[in-house]
Amino acid sequence: MMLSEDEESGLDAIRSAINTAERQFQVIEGGKGDDNGGRPPKTKEKKPCPVVTIGHLDGSFYFLDRVGQLRVLKASQMTRRPDLVALFGGNIDWLKETFPKTAKVKDKDAEGNETAREVVVDFNINHTCQFLQRECFSAGLFGDHIQIRRPGIWPTSEGMPVVHCGDRVLVGSKLELPGTRIGNQIWAAAPAEPRPAEPCEAIDAREFQRQVRELWDFRLEGSDIIVMGMLACAYYGAAIPWRPAGFLTGPAGCGKSSLLRVLQNAIPLKFATNDASKAGIEQMVDGRAIPMLVDEASDRVDQRAARALLDLVLSATGGEGTKGARGGSDGIARKIAVAGSIIMASIRPPDMEAQHLGRFTLVEMQAPRNGADHTAEHRDFAEWAKEIGPKLWGRALAGWQRYSAARVILRAAVGRSGCQPREMDQMGSLLAGWWVLINDQVPTEAEADRAVECVMGYIRTAETAEAASGSQQMIDHLLSQKVQMDRSTDRRSLSSLIERMLVPVNEEKPDIEENAFSRKNVASVLASYGIRVVRRNEPTPRSGQDVPRGSEGDGLWIWPRNAMLTALFKDTPFAGQKFVYEFARMESYRPPPRNARGHQITITMDGKKNKGCFWVRCCELGLSDDGDDGL
């Protein structure tokens, strides 16, 4: 298209003006790029608050400070500068930038004229307080649904282990900073703790097991497998739903403390002690998911304290662990939480009830054969355990998925061996832990069955579990008690006295009154403890009335309110009237009889009438064989 003369002259005028201008157009730096002149400068991004708000409750406000520690401030503290500065770790740059407090400063310009300008001299406390409170209210109420995690091994909602090492948090294969939040779990900062190393090879775990097997003498085959299972399960902390507990026991000189020291060295993150009470452990391990190792756990006069430790195990080794409250010296209740596996060692374990045996696996050790001395080898092994322990920990964590799959297969194999369901969980977890350390694949059913055969001495069948039930332990305790005979210094067990009274009529010999073991004297002694024996063929007394009985066969009438009988159970798990509950669980138990009008029938014992007596069969107590045809 051709331009007209007027248009051409206009363009010439523009060119002339540009070329003759005093200030030429210049290409700015931004124009040299590929974006045709560049974009306008970006606005300065607002920095995030270095303090994390968690919530509020009852006038208290909950935060994670600059380094990730849990901090709780009252409303009044949030208006004090020192408390706010401490919350932000002494660094107030963000506060000055976000909530500046300014002051006018007089100055002079280049020509000497007086000017005034504003400078930031501090942060505005009121604005900071308002901001933090608003954020806490936006976060919601603080409560038990928010779990502040201290160092330990914790599970995610999917069950994967998360290792909190204080200054770092290992989530999968990544190390995160403390203050990381996953769901309602917050990993609060704490002093640095040991952390896992790169996983070792299976051959290293097998060498560890070989030394355990060869340097200590165990009563049962497969004990080295059980020890390796304890070690592996300890590495998982609270990340596994069933956390097996172990008890190393044996005579003095068998090396149980040396073996426990090896395990302590092989477990980098743990709590270890040789003198701790239940309250002491709760205080030291509160809020942490770590294994606990206690030496000389029950070698003390006060067996009640030892049993208290066992009760701690029952809750700490399952589910969310031990959760409760304890009163403080200031009168304020304090919540406590303990979770993790527990390994104990002592010359003899405390008296255990059925629920303890389901959680504990007892590893019985023996003195070295032929006077063998492995002291030097034990010491070298303990030193090597320090080196290999973090790598074994890493191997266990890397094999987490294999552990979950192996536990299902091995638990089923334990069940096929005739084990009880509760024992299946215990042994299945121990075997799965051992398997993950020494193998790189999931076991087949055949391999699982062979593994169970190696530890058959530790498999508790239904019959074994029944023999260890609370009722059976109560019966064993009662019948073994020795009592004083009348007009004699002789002491006899209650079982021998009852057996004396069960002698059939046709086998009886005439009583000698002076004989302390005569039928009359024995009946009197039993009556003083609230016990009356009735034989299956008890003769009718001279009164002509039928002998009272609760069922056919040999049996006992027991008066539970007898003071001397109750005293036999003092300082036992069956103290008070708990022994009555165990009697009531027996199949042959019959409650106190009543007459047609609903009144309790009295049972005569040595001339005294007692109400509230219950009946049990002697065959169920193991004192008679008249129950072969069933109860």
Side-chain angles (χ1 to χ4, degrees):
M1 182 178 66
M2 301 296 292
L3 297 175
S4 65
E5 292 183 3
D6 292 339
E7 291 173 331
E8 186 66 34
S9 62
L11 288 174
D12 290 339
I14 291 172
R15 293 190 187 99
S16 176
I18 293 173
N19 293 330
T20 59
E22 294 182 2
R23 189 171 181 178
Q24 299 286 328
F25 284 106
Q26 296 179 356
V27 178
I28 62 174
E29 187 69 21
K32 293 181 180 179
D34 298 331
D35 53 356
N36 298 325
R39 299 185 179 89
K42 294 181 180 179
T43 58
K44 191 173 183 180
E45 291 185 4
K46 188 175 180 181
K47 295 180 181 178
C49 179
V51 169
V52 178
T53 54
I54 301 177
H56 69 98
L57 185 69
D58 295 336
S60 296
F61 298 87
Y62 295 80
F63 307 92
L64 293 180
D65 65 13
R66 179 179 286 273
V67 297
Q69 297 180 103
L70 177 66
R71 298 290 299 275
V72 185
L73 296 180
K74 295 288 187 182
S76 59
Q77 292 177 285
M78 298 175 68
T79 61
R80 295 202 290 262
R81 188 178 188 279
D83 289 312
L84 291 174
V85 172
L87 181 64
F88 282 79
N91 188 333
I92 61 173
D93 291 346
W94 184 87
L95 292 172
K96 290 171 68 175
E97 184 177 334
T98 310
F99 306 108
K101 179 181 179 181
T102 61
K104 287 188 176 181
V105 178
K106 292 184 178 181
D107 202 356
K108 290 185 179 182
D109 58 15
E111 285 129 7
N113 298 323
E114 194 173 89
T115 60
R117 59 189 179 88
E118 286 192 347
V119 296
V120 177
V121 295
D122 202 1
F123 64 92
N124 188 297
I125 293 177
N126 288 336
H127 291 172
T128 302
C129 175
Q130 292 169 11
F131 165 78
L132 293 175
Q133 289 191 6
R134 283 198 308 270
E135 291 297 304
C136 283
F137 273 88
S138 297
L141 292 174
F142 180 86
D144 291 340
H145 64 287
I146 298 177
Q147 298 169 326
I148 306 297
R149 298 305 198 191
R150 295 181 62 196
I153 308 95
W154 300 95
T156 63
S157 57
E158 294 80 21
M160 181 185 71
V162 174
V163 183
H164 186 359
C165 303
D167 61 337
R168 290 292 186 273
V169 181
L170 181 62
V171 183
S173 59
K174 293 179 61 179
L175 280 174
E176 305 284 355
L177 290 172
T180 300
R181 181 167 184 166
I182 302 177
N184 283 332
Q185 297 188 90
I186 300 175
W187 318 96
E193 299 277 4
R195 60 190 63 179
E198 288 293 321
C200 62
E201 299 297 328
I203 190 173
D204 298 313
R206 294 193 187 101
E207 172 60 19
F208 195 103
Q209 180 181 344
R210 183 194 67 78
Q211 294 200 41
V212 170
R213 181 174 59 252
E214 295 183 359
L215 296 181
W216 283 272
D217 286 324
F218 299 98
R219 191 178 70 84
L220 296 177
E221 292 290 332
S223 295
D224 54 312
I225 295 176
I226 299 299
V227 171
M228 293 297 290
M230 292 178 185
L231 178 63
C233 291
Y235 285 143
Y236 289 126
I240 51 179
W242 187 281
R243 301 180 278 279
F247 211 117
L248 307 177
T249 183
C254 68
K256 56 187 178 299
S257 294
S258 298
L259 179 55
L260 190 66
R261 189 176 304 112
V262 168
L263 296 178
Q264 289 177 7
N265 289 351
I267 303 173
L269 184 58
K270 80 278 184 177
F271 169 74
T273 181
N274 62 358
D275 183 18
S277 63
K278 176 176 180 287
I281 290 180
E282 288 175 342
Q283 182 175 356
M284 296 299 297
V285 190
D286 178 28
R288 308 178 70 188
I290 59 176
M292 293 152 273
L293 297 96
V294 185
D295 198 6
E296 310 301 336
S298 65
D299 297 334
R300 57 188 75 187
V301 176
D302 186 6
Q303 284 292 299
R304 289 174 297 181
R307 283 196 295 269
L309 283 177
L310 298 185
D311 293 336
L312 172 66
V313 172
L314 290 181
S315 51
T317 56
E320 287 291 321
T322 297
K323 287 191 174 182
R326 297 289 183 271
S329 58
D330 53 2
I332 300 175
R334 180 179 61 86
K335 293 181 179 179
I336 59 101
V338 178
S341 297
I342 297 180
I343 303 176
M344 298 182 179
S346 72
I347 291 179
R348 71 176 188 87
D351 297 332
M352 293 189 183
E353 300 179 54
Q355 63 269 30
H356 299 130
L357 294 172
R359 286 284 186 183
F360 266 108
T361 296
L362 269 65
V363 177
E364 297 185 51
M365 306 173 67
Q366 302 176 135
R369 298 176 184 176
N370 302 322
D373 183 9
H374 298 298
T375 303
E377 290 90 339
H378 290 171
R379 184 169 53 249
D380 293 341
F381 188 15
E383 287 300 317
W384 181 63
K386 287 183 182 178
E387 176 188 342
I388 197 65
K391 299 176 183 179
L392 287 172
W393 189 10
R395 178 173 177 80
L397 293 171
W400 162 249
Q401 291 180 327
R402 284 188 291 115
Y403 172 86
S404 300
R407 184 177 182 273
V408 174
I409 297 172
L410 289 162
R411 185 182 184 277
V414 173
R416 290 193 293 272
S417 70
C419 193
Q420 289 287 87
R422 188 180 184 89
E423 308 295 329
M424 290 165 59
D425 289 323
Q426 179 81 355
M427 293 305 301
S429 298
L430 288 171
L431 289 174
W434 160 74
W435 184 272
V436 165
L437 288 181
I438 69 164
N439 292 284
D440 293 315
Q441 75 284 341
V442 176
T444 63
E445 281 195 7
E447 290 173 328
D449 288 335
R450 286 195 294 272
V452 172
E453 290 177 3
C454 293
V455 294
M456 278 305 295
Y458 286 94
I459 302 297
R460 297 176 69 238
T461 61
E463 292 77 12
T464 306
E466 177 62 27
S469 67
S471 296
Q472 187 59 50
Q473 289 188 355
M474 181 275 299
I475 293 169
D476 293 342
H477 173 81
L478 175 64
L479 297 181
S480 65
Q481 297 302 296
K482 291 188 174 182
V483 298
Q484 187 75 44
M485 300 300 296
D486 291 342
R487 300 188 300 275
S488 173
T489 58
D490 192 15
R491 294 174 61 85
R492 299 292 184 101
S493 66
L494 286 178
S495 62
S496 65
L497 299 185
I498 294 172
E499 288 171 350
R500 168 67 182 89
M501 297 299 294
L502 288 174
V503 174
V505 177
N506 57 356
E507 296 180 14
E508 280 195 23
K509 297 179 181 179
D511 272 346
I512 301 175
E513 291 294 332
E514 291 75 16
N515 186 355
F517 205 52
S518 67
R519 181 176 180 81
K520 182 177 180 180
N521 285 345
V522 170
S524 176
V525 172
L526 289 174
S528 66
Y529 285 89
I531 299 173
R532 177 179 173 180
V533 180
V534 178
R535 294 172 290 186
R536 74 187 88 172
N537 56 353
E538 191 71 42
T540 303
R542 285 180 292 180
S543 64
Q545 295 181 345
D546 291 336
V547 177
R549 60 172 63 249
S551 65
E552 295 297 323
D554 300 329
L556 302 181
W557 285 110
I558 299 177
W559 184 38
R561 294 197 296 273
N562 181 280
M564 294 177 66
L565 175 65
T566 303
L568 294 177
F569 294 102
K570 185 180 179 181
D571 294 334
T572 73
F574 315 107
Q577 291 290 299
K578 292 180 183 177
F579 72 94
V580 180
Y581 168 75
E582 297 297 343
F583 269 119
R585 296 174 59 193
M586 298 174 63
E587 187 177 350
S588 65
Y589 170 84
R590 299 293 182 269
R594 297 178 180 273
N595 58 24
R597 292 180 294 178
H599 298 156
Q600 286 188 352
I601 297 175
T602 60
I603 303 297
T604 302
M605 298 182 182
D606 198 24
K608 298 178 182 178
K609 297 182 181 296
N610 302 310
K611 287 185 178 181
C613 300
F614 60 81
W615 169 272
V616 289
R617 288 278 297 276
C618 289
C619 59
E620 195 169 3
L621 300 177
L623 299 171
S624 173
D625 59 359
D626 70 336
D628 293 341
D629 56 348
L631 296 174

